Amino acid sequence: MARTPLPAGGTPTLPETMTPALQLFLIVSAALFCIGLLAALSRRHAIFILIGIEMMLAAAGINFIAFWRFGPQPAPPTGVMVTIFAIAIAAAEAAVGLALVMAVYRHYRTTNVDQFDQLKG
Amino acid sequence: MSSAAFFLIAIVTLAAALAAATLPKLIHAALSFALAFVGVAAFYFLLGAEFVGLVQVFVYVGAVAVLIVFTILLTRRDVDRERGFNWSGVLIALAVFAGLLWAILKTARVSVLAVPVAPLTVRQIGEALMTDYVWPLQCIGVLLTAALIGALVLVMEEKR
């Protein structure tokens, strides 16, 4: 398997064939994960916390597919299968999460997570 | 796999994701979220997993984005623009990104190039789902049913 040598500066460069290496996919998925983390941590709106979690799940999916594509290919495509199941679980999570947002909104008349403080000790 | 397509998709996806994470207007952010997930599906296509890309488009852009837009519209009486942005979240996200970047660049084993492989057909995926992955498939079916019933129970009007 061909390996691209890392340059001394540490920044990834494209090899002569101009094909993106596994590293670039990992960097993009790390960036997507951190944007999702940013949305989940810094937004005050419950729906956006859910969107952030969905982005983090999608970043994990990109990683699974990239490792499947660049690694040795097993007979059952494990990375693809894990991603399909992860998408199904994410859909279930989004449905329940949005239903929770609706139920909480009905009680508090707000979706700002700072104001959901009835259980606070 | 061409690098021009890769960088184009990467820029569109990350810009849309950043817009979804930071735009103050909720409906704009929800639409950027849909665009970001189209970008993720394009990555799946680029990596040769066409079926997963299609599933991603159906599930996220077709279902989850519509669900999010509906929830925003149904909870509209709340503030349309949200107040307050927690800047410590930015610091934590940047720190996590720096850590991940350091780990990725430090690991020489991940700088491999793609080798040409036989395309993955839907038939292979279906066979794997019906043989090796039949128990996970059943569990996902039960989970989705439970989630559907749970979501309905949560949003049902309480009788007083």
Side-chain angles (χ1 to χ4, degrees):
Chain A
M1 202 171 285
R3 296 253 162 88
T4 47
L6 265 184
T11 48
T13 50
L14 284 176
E16 293 78 42
T17 49
M18 295 299 281
T19 317
L22 173 58
Q23 232 169 12
L24 291 176
F25 286 96
L26 296 186
I27 289 170
V28 168
S29 97
L32 190 62
F33 180 88
C34 291
I35 291 170
L37 190 66
L38 167 72
L41 288 180
S42 59
R43 298 295 293 239
R44 289 278 141 267
H45 196 288
I47 295 172
F48 283 97
I49 294 174
L50 260 175
I51 284 185
I53 292 169
E54 296 288 330
M55 276 186 210
M56 291 195 267
L57 275 167
I62 292 179
N63 262 6
F64 271 114
I65 295 282
F67 276 111
W68 161 76
R69 178 66 181 76
F70 285 86
Q73 308 253 326
T78 314
V80 173
M81 289 301 151
V82 171
T83 312
I84 291 172
F85 289 131
I87 289 173
I89 291 172
E93 175 245 318
V96 175
L98 289 171
L100 268 176
V101 172
M102 294 289 300
V104 168
Y105 175 76
R106 209 174 272 151
H107 274 278
Y108 286 90
R109 293 282 143 196
T110 180
T111 47
N112 188 327
V113 287
D114 281 345
Q115 290 167 36
F116 303 161
D117 52 3
Q118 199 164 335
L119 284 181
K120 211 174 193 176
Chain B
M1 250 191 281
S2 76
S3 64
F6 173 83
F7 284 111
L8 192 68
I9 297 168
I11 288 168
V12 168
T13 308
L14 293 181
L18 206 57
T22 53
L23 279 182
K25 200 112 166 133
L26 297 179
I27 204 87
H28 294 172
L31 295 177
S32 321
F33 165 80
L35 183 62
F37 277 82
V38 172
V40 172
F43 269 123
Y44 293 159
F45 273 93
L46 195 67
L47 283 164
E50 287 87 1
F51 180 73
V52 186
L54 281 177
V55 168
Q56 176 89 4
V57 169
F58 289 154
V59 171
Y60 277 104
V61 186
V64 174
V66 172
L67 212 57
I68 285 173
V69 169
F70 262 89
T71 313
I72 289 173
L73 293 180
L74 285 172
T75 56
R76 196 90 197 227
R77 246 178 302 165
D78 193 20
V79 278
D80 199 22
R81 290 173 169 281
E82 62 168 12
R83 307 152 296 231
F85 192 81
N86 196 350
W87 287 100
S88 61
V90 180
L91 286 181
I92 295 172
L94 279 177
V96 171
F97 182 61
L100 284 174
L101 203 62
W102 176 79
I104 291 167
L105 293 179
K106 193 92 173 150
T107 314
R109 288 186 70 99
V110 297
S111 59
V112 292
L113 287 177
V115 287
V117 287
L120 182 71
T121 59
V122 181
R123 185 193 189 89
Q124 279 170 284
I125 294 176
E127 274 170 3
L129 273 180
M130 282 298 132
T131 54
D132 291 344
Y133 292 91
V134 69
W135 287 111
L137 185 71
Q138 302 295 322
C139 292
I140 287 287
V142 173
L143 176 77
L144 282 173
T145 314
L148 189 69
I149 296 170
L152 279 176
V153 167
L154 277 175
V155 295
M156 237 183 321
E157 288 287 345
E158 286 172 40
K159 301 209 171 51
R160 303 194 178 209

